[in-house]
């Protein structure tokens, strides 16, 4: 069986999420017996293993001195520490957002209250009920077209606060190639 970690909560259903290291993160109801979780994983082992191999093959930087910035592989003269990379990504993404966000919002008639760069790990962007936008510094590793899609996605949430068909129709109107961008965001650049 593939290695896994369990996170229990008040949820009612089981869900397995593949992590970049090839292990599974299982989200499970608080009182569900572990044997049920293992049965769930065994039933999906072939599918999870196939996805795990694909994910591990996509982890791009191969050396400690390599990193991605806006989708381009870069080399640093010495090994890159996580702290150095995070500071670089925060700085670069903040500059990118300062330039692109007002242009995209203005071009499509969106407004927002504020914007910040966060250390979010599970999502690239978010929009609060008060139209405050937040973007994960990790986006700086991805191509500019993908970052623009995430910006458009969050701007669309200032109008539609959910992922309804109306929301996706708005996203498609603003970013016609969004499906391609979503696929690219599934690659691992970190």
């Amino acid at each position: 069986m593939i290695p896994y970690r369990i996170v229990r909560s008040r949820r009612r259903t089981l869900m397995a999420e593949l992590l970049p290291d090839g292990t599974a993160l299982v989200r499970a109801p608080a009182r569900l017996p572990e044997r049920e979780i293992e049965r769930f994983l065994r039933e999906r082992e072939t599918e999870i293993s196939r996805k795990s191999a694909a994910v591990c093959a996509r982890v791009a930087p191969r050396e400690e001195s390599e990193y991605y910035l806006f989708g381009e592989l870069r080399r640093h003269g010495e090994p890159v520490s996580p702290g150095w990379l995070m500071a670089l990504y925060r700085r670069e993404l903040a500059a990118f957002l300062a330039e692109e966000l007002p242009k995209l919002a203005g071009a499509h008639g969106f407004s927002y209250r504020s914007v910040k760069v966060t250390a979010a790990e599970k999502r690239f962007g978010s929009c609060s009920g008060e139209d405050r936008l937040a973007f994960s510094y990790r986006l700086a590793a991805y191509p500019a077209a993908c970052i623009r899609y995430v910006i458009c996605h969050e701007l669309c949430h200032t109008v539609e606060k959910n992922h309804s068909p109306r929301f996706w129709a708005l996203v498609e109107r603003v970013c016609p190639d969004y499906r391609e961008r979503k696929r690219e965001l599934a690659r691992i650049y970190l």
Side-chain angles (χ1 to χ4, degrees):
M1 185 177 323
I2 65 164
Y4 65 93
R5 209 174 63 209
I6 301 171
V7 174
R8 294 181 181 273
S9 66
R10 293 185 193 186
R11 65 181 299 125
R12 294 178 185 201
T13 59
L14 269 170
M15 185 199 88
E17 173 184 346
L18 196 59
L19 298 175
D21 66 1
T23 63
L25 176 65
V26 180
R27 299 185 186 280
R31 294 193 172 131
L32 187 70
E34 192 160 345
R35 68 180 179 278
E36 291 296 315
I37 294 168
E38 288 179 357
R39 184 179 59 77
F40 172 82
L41 288 171
R42 272 194 304 278
E43 289 172 359
R44 290 161 181 78
E45 189 167 17
T46 303
E47 175 188 347
I48 292 170
S49 294
R50 189 176 65 245
K51 287 182 180 176
S52 175
V55 166
C56 290
R58 288 192 311 232
V59 177
R62 301 288 184 224
E63 297 179 22
E64 291 178 0
S65 62
E66 293 179 341
Y67 63 96
Y68 276 93
L69 184 61
F70 299 119
E72 294 179 15
L73 186 63
R74 305 273 178 102
R75 289 183 192 274
H76 192 61
E78 54 194 59
V80 173
S81 73
W84 181 89
L85 192 59
M86 182 172 73
L88 173 74
Y89 282 172
R90 281 184 176 277
R91 189 172 56 252
E92 293 291 332
L93 185 62
F96 186 90
L97 291 170
E99 184 177 328
E100 293 293 321
L101 185 56
K103 284 197 299 193
L104 289 168
H108 300 288
F110 294 112
S111 63
Y112 56 94
R113 281 213 173 141
S114 64
V115 63
K116 67 179 177 178
V117 176
T118 69
E121 291 184 23
K122 296 290 183 186
R123 56 179 61 172
F124 288 119
S126 64
C127 175
S128 74
E130 297 82 34
D131 299 335
R132 297 179 195 284
L133 305 179
F135 298 93
S136 172
Y137 73 85
R138 290 169 173 79
L139 267 176
Y142 290 81
C146 293
I147 301 170
R148 285 188 196 95
Y149 156 68
V150 174
I151 292 170
C152 290
H153 182 111
E154 299 312 330
L155 286 170
C156 288
H157 277 310
T158 65
V159 176
E160 293 289 334
K161 302 292 186 191
N162 53 45
H163 288 109
S164 67
R166 282 195 332 237
F167 168 80
W168 289 110
L170 180 58
V171 170
E172 188 164 27
R173 199 165 54 246
V174 171
C175 185
D177 63 349
Y178 83 92
R179 287 179 183 89
E180 183 181 334
R181 301 298 156 225
K182 281 179 69 174
R183 279 192 297 274
E184 181 67 12
L185 284 167
R187 288 196 62 206
I188 297 171
Y189 281 87
L190 296 175

